[in-house]
Amino acid sequence: DQQVKQNSPSLSVQEGRISILNCDYTNSMFDYFLWYKKYPAEGPTFLISISSIKDKNEDGRFTVFLNKSAKHLSLHIVPSQPGDSAVYFCAALSSNTGKLIFGQGTTLQVKP
Amino acid sequence: DSGVTQTPKHLITATGQRVTLRCSPRSGDLSVYWYQQSLDQGLQFLIQYYNGEERAKGNILERFSAQQFPDLHSELNLSSLELGDSALYFCASSPRSSSGVYNEQFFGPGTRLTVL
């Protein structure tokens, strides 16, 4: 039962362009949604989050959009940089259970 | 550097053996979480402790157990190891309060377990 899904295993974009990473979820009880970035041989690093009561949160080049009716969120990176190349995990949190449910990850490659 | 430390970094052992993975959370964080990342798998939540008490359980096998000590460090014990237990094991901590106030989780570098 995959509660959080990232249907695109990989994405390749040109430096300077926009990267859009998508995530779908099934459980309407999730309170928060987070994006983590992971380099090889390192632990995931928190990037940005959004509360379920909001539809947008922006932090520098990173913006997360939440569409609750569609149970869909996306991460926009503008402009994309080669250093953004990593695996991006979408995660959903239900505060009352404390469980963080991760998607399978999307490997982003930003080409110079 | 997230402030979360995990030891050892790598562990190679044989089937049937038992190992202990150790995690030290960020200073002041009361919650510790354990995750497993197998090949081609996303991060699977195993278990959470808050201030020494088990708070939430995920897909943790009965052969696995964990605890959080008074100094807040945590250990994940894996016994009767099987080949399929080979994975990256991550620990994360957060300042999440017992009342459920959300805070993001900070991950350690992971322990790579190889079972031969």
Side-chain angles (χ1 to χ4, degrees):
Chain A
D1 177 22
Q2 194 76 22
Q3 294 188 63
V4 179
K5 295 182 186 178
Q6 292 176 257
N7 292 318
S8 299
S10 63
L11 175 67
S12 182
V13 300
Q14 209 64 35
E15 180 179 6
R17 306 296 290 268
I18 184 171
S19 294
I20 300 176
L21 297 106
N22 294 303
C23 179
D24 297 296
Y25 62 96
T26 58
N27 189 342
S28 57
M29 298 301 293
F30 290 133
D31 300 300
Y32 290 91
F33 302 90
L34 306 88
W35 285 94
Y36 281 83
K37 176 177 169 180
K38 186 180 181 303
Y39 293 116
E42 293 183 14
T45 304
F46 170 76
L47 259 183
I48 191 169
S49 66
I50 188 168
S51 164
S52 60
I53 62 173
K54 295 189 175 181
D55 55 21
K56 178 182 173 181
N57 188 26
E58 194 171 347
D59 183 3
R61 295 186 298 114
F62 302 92
T63 303
V64 57
F65 295 92
L66 175 63
N67 182 335
K68 281 190 72 175
S69 60
K71 293 192 175 70
H72 176 85
L73 66 153
S74 60
L75 174 69
H76 292 210
I77 307 174
V78 179
S80 301
Q81 301 172 353
D84 295 330
S85 298
V87 179
Y88 288 78
F89 288 98
C90 163
L93 174 73
S94 177
S95 292
N96 60 345
T97 65
K99 291 185 189 179
L100 193 60
I101 310 296
F102 282 84
Q104 298 294 89
T106 297
T107 301
L108 173 66
Q109 183 186 27
V110 180
K111 297 179 180 177
Chain B
D1 185 358
S2 67
V4 178
T5 59
Q6 289 186 249
T7 55
K9 194 165 186 174
H10 300 278
L11 197 50
I12 301 175
T13 188
T15 54
Q17 296 298 305
R18 173 190 169 94
V19 297
T20 297
L21 313 183
R22 183 188 167 102
C23 168
S24 292
R26 294 188 324 154
S27 177
D29 285 358
L30 299 179
S31 284
V32 169
Y33 309 78
W34 286 97
Y35 294 86
Q36 179 192 56
Q37 185 182 21
S38 304
L39 207 62
D40 299 330
Q41 294 276 331
L43 286 147
Q44 302 289 324
F45 169 74
L46 294 178
I47 197 163
Q48 179 208 352
Y49 278 82
Y50 174 80
N51 203 20
E53 292 187 4
E54 183 183 304
R55 188 53 59 100
K57 230 172 183 176
N59 301 323
I60 187 166
L61 299 172
E62 285 191 14
R63 299 184 287 108
F64 296 0
S65 65
Q67 54 183 329
Q68 186 179 26
F69 295 86
D71 67 353
L72 300 177
H73 91 271
S74 178
E75 292 181 356
L76 179 67
N77 301 296
L78 315 176
S79 60
S80 303
L81 284 168
E82 301 175 0
L83 295 177
D85 297 328
S86 296
L88 268 169
Y89 291 84
F90 289 102
C91 166
S93 74
S94 82
R96 179 179 180 275
S97 74
S98 60
S99 62
V101 174
Y102 158 74
N103 279 289
E104 66 264 21
Q105 297 178 19
F106 297 86
F107 283 76
T111 293
R112 180 172 292 282
L113 172 66
T114 303
V115 182
L116 300 175

